[in-house]
Amino acid sequence: MQQRTDVRTGLAVPVLVLVSSLVAIAAAFMGSGVLIGTPIQEAAGGWLNEDSTPLAPASPAFRIWSLIYLGLLAYAVWQLLPAQRRSARHAALRRWAVASMLLNAAWIWVVQLGLLVISLAVIIVLLAVLARILVILVRTPNGGVLDALITDGTFGLYLGWVTVATVANAAAVLAASGVDGFGLPVTLLSSIVLAVAAAIGVATALYSRGRLAPALATSWGLAWIAVGRVDGGLVDHGTAIAAAICAAVVLITAVVVRVVAGTGPRD
């Protein structure tokens, strides 16, 4: 029996997605500190700036947020269209998309309030929500190239970047709490944590059959950690090498898996 792929969706939830995207963008504007709020790098005691910990990416890495926010807005408009309102895929995705956008906004507000430990809890939940979104995207066929680009591409980048951001956030919390690295050398401990981030990126590539968007974003973040450790106020060549290797492993794995899978456009 063929599974039904069309559903009837009213306007309430699709409009909520649009509103949530605007809330996330407004929160990001506040987090930039252009007119209101404090720049994220200066908030929470400065523990999230590029030289705060060995696992903090160099500041240019955060430009990926502009692409992610643009993608979220594009998705919010896309899923409002009649074809997407009849899609079972988008019906399953919308509430998780709303959760991800509101959690993103909540993370910025929490950091603005200086609540660093709570910010880690929020971003871990956000990572879990994005992992759930990936499961939905893998299990449901996209509606064509545009849907793959707007939906899979956006949430793939979002997941990949938040994977790295969670690592950086955790390192900031530990540093701010005065944890001494459990007696391990800083470079060794950093390398272990980077390997965990890379393992998540590799697992994502394997599960998604080589989707490039998550791998690109994860590799982007890891590469900028490497740059930050050789060209910044906190130099650590060992961590830089480990981050560069991890970035390459994640990206190469995704490419190889994609080639072996031999599937069409998904992200």
Side-chain angles (χ1 to χ4, degrees):
M1 181 184 232
Q2 184 175 2
Q3 185 176 2
R4 187 180 177 88
T5 57
D6 286 348
V7 295
R8 291 183 179 181
T9 301
L11 275 173
V13 178
V15 168
L16 179 60
V17 173
L18 178 60
V19 171
S20 298
S21 71
L22 297 176
V23 169
I25 291 170
F29 185 74
M30 182 189 72
S32 70
V34 174
L35 294 178
I36 60 173
T38 305
I40 293 297
Q41 294 85 350
E42 300 174 13
W47 286 107
L48 294 171
N49 70 47
E50 61 182 343
D51 294 324
S52 59
T53 73
L55 297 179
S59 57
F62 298 92
R63 293 172 185 166
I64 195 174
W65 273 121
S66 298
L67 184 58
I68 292 171
Y69 286 127
L70 179 62
L72 290 175
L73 183 59
Y75 169 73
V77 174
W78 173 252
Q79 58 85 41
L80 269 171
L81 300 180
Q84 279 59 254
R85 286 173 53 203
R86 294 191 300 269
S87 166
R89 180 184 217 225
H90 290 282
L93 180 60
R94 284 188 182 94
R95 287 174 173 81
W96 294 101
V98 167
S100 75
M101 296 171 191
L102 295 182
L103 283 165
N104 190 350
W107 184 87
I108 293 173
W109 278 102
V110 166
V111 171
Q112 291 287 312
L113 293 173
L115 304 174
L116 198 58
V117 174
I118 295 178
S119 76
L120 178 59
V122 172
I123 203 169
I124 289 173
V125 176
L126 173 57
L127 182 61
V129 168
L130 291 171
R132 174 57 184 162
I133 288 175
L134 178 68
V135 171
I136 294 172
L137 295 179
V138 170
R139 290 181 177 177
T140 56
N142 63 58
V145 174
L146 267 180
D147 193 38
L149 178 64
I150 295 172
T151 306
D152 301 66
T154 295
F155 286 104
L157 290 176
Y158 199 0
L159 170 62
W161 171 251
V162 169
T163 298
V164 177
T166 302
V167 167
N169 203 154
V173 169
L174 291 175
S177 301
V179 175
D180 63 358
F182 310 104
L184 296 174
V186 171
T187 299
L188 176 59
L189 181 61
S190 298
S191 299
I192 292 171
V193 176
L194 288 168
V196 172
I200 294 173
V202 168
T204 299
L206 293 172
Y207 177 76
S208 66
R209 291 173 294 169
R211 289 174 183 248
L212 295 181
L216 285 170
T218 300
S219 297
W220 168 271
L222 293 171
W224 280 107
I225 290 176
V227 172
R229 301 293 72 78
V230 297
D231 186 23
L234 184 58
V235 174
D236 184 338
H237 290 100
T239 297
I241 292 171
I245 292 173
C246 288
V249 167
V250 171
L251 189 55
I252 290 170
T253 299
V255 171
V256 170
V257 171
R258 190 179 184 88
V259 170
V260 171
T263 52
R266 297 181 305 276
D267 53 349

